[in-house]
Amino acid sequence: MSALSDPLPHPPNDDDGPGARPDPPAVQDETPHPHAAENPWAFWRSVLITLAVALGIRQFLMEARYIPSGSMLPGLQIQDRLLVEKLSYRSREPRRGEIVVFHSPYHFDPVLTGESSPNPLRCLLVNLPFIGTLPGLQVPACDAYIKRVVAVPGDRVAVDPRGQVFIDGKRLNEPYVHNYCPVDSQGIGPCRTLNTVVPPGHVLVLGDNRANSWDGRFWPGGNFLPQKEIIGRAFWRFFPFDQMGSLSPSGTSPQDP
């Protein structure tokens, strides 16, 4: 890089003198200096747009979730990562055998919520990556649960002490259930039974691990999940990689006893 120096003197010419025409003005270089200060709003505007798009996709289209407990064993293991889509139930009702993610019963059960209602802004923050792990931010009403739909509106559903499901008197074929509730010689065990009709706008959801799942059998304010509380349908497992694949239901039709 050369050092700064004084400019060379203007060479004399015949036009120099009292009557000479002045030199034309120099053209200004409009190219911005590489070190010119950038508008800080441009950076934050990009950040906010990116965040808004990400939140929009998460709120209305799809999001990733992980399994925190063993209520869906053995099909879904603890720490499995799933994709949850949010479009299907805008045009149809949930179907038997589908795995749904929904708001915690503390969000909608009248006995568990009491007189208070969850703060939507707080629940939004709780479900943001990293932010939701901050101490003191978690509340039960903002949690999300994952269970399987076993009965839909209009079904006469019965659940016996072992956790077996019957629809209109026929045993529901559930190949995904391996761990039923223990019963004694008289058929009595720790799990609650059920025999009722699913009301409109609701579904019955149970965990695949019938012996260890806090589901519709145990909720104090009612057995059924309002469909409006469903966040979305879990349809794809993307981790662990050797278990990657679809979560489409199979073998969930009532069968003759």
Side-chain angles (χ1 to χ4, degrees):
M1 183 174 62
S2 58
L4 293 176
S5 60
D6 293 332
L8 295 176
H10 190 282
N13 57 63
D14 294 341
D15 291 333
D16 288 339
R21 292 176 298 173
D23 291 336
V27 177
Q28 297 295 324
D29 184 3
E30 296 182 357
T31 304
H33 193 276
H35 298 292
E38 296 183 1
N39 184 355
W41 168 240
F43 169 76
W44 288 111
R45 180 177 57 188
S46 300
V47 171
L48 291 175
I49 292 175
T50 302
L51 183 61
V53 171
L55 289 176
I57 292 175
R58 192 177 191 277
Q59 181 70 24
F60 300 107
L61 298 180
M62 186 182 303
E63 65 178 86
R65 291 276 181 173
Y66 75 95
I67 304 295
S69 72
S71 70
M72 294 296 288
L73 291 170
L76 297 179
Q77 301 288 320
I78 297 175
Q79 296 299 320
D80 278 2
R81 264 60 173 178
L82 313 176
L83 289 179
V84 178
E85 61 89 9
K86 304 184 177 184
L87 295 177
S88 293
Y89 298 150
R90 296 183 184 179
S91 58
R92 66 169 178 85
E93 292 190 336
R95 298 167 182 163
R96 290 192 210 101
E98 292 182 331
I99 299 173
V100 294
V101 174
F102 56 94
H103 295 125
S104 160
Y106 290 93
H107 188 276
F108 62 84
D109 188 291
V111 174
L112 299 174
T113 58
E115 299 297 328
S116 62
S117 59
N119 186 316
L121 178 59
R122 183 171 187 173
C123 290
L124 175 64
L125 294 175
V126 164
N127 287 286
L128 289 176
F130 307 112
I131 296 179
T133 60
L134 295 176
L137 196 60
Q138 290 283 350
V139 291
C142 296
D143 291 342
Y145 283 36
I146 183 167
K147 307 292 179 188
R148 191 183 297 270
V149 177
V150 299
V152 296
D155 284 346
R156 162 63 70 174
V157 58
V159 183
D160 70 9
R162 298 191 67 232
Q164 298 176 133
V165 178
F166 297 82
I167 303 294
D168 299 327
K170 297 181 179 181
R171 170 82 181 276
L172 187 65
N173 182 27
E174 297 185 283
Y176 39 78
V177 179
H178 293 192
N179 188 26
Y180 288 99
C181 300
V183 295
D184 60 19
S185 58
Q186 297 180 341
I188 299 176
C191 295
R192 295 182 182 177
T193 61
L194 188 66
N195 191 351
T196 186
V197 175
V198 182
H202 294 71
V203 293
L204 176 64
V205 293
L206 302 179
D208 291 353
N209 186 0
R210 295 292 155 80
N212 187 21
S213 174
W214 192 60
D215 48 39
R217 296 170 293 173
F218 301 97
W219 298 338
N223 302 114
F224 303 108
L225 169 66
Q227 293 182 22
K228 65 181 181 179
E229 299 294 337
I230 296 177
I231 297 172
R233 178 179 66 95
F235 73 100
W236 188 266
R237 173 168 39 199
F238 64 90
F239 184 86
F241 299 125
D242 60 347
Q243 297 292 322
M244 183 184 298
S246 173
L247 301 176
S248 299
S250 61
T252 54
S253 299
Q255 58 186 0
D256 294 329

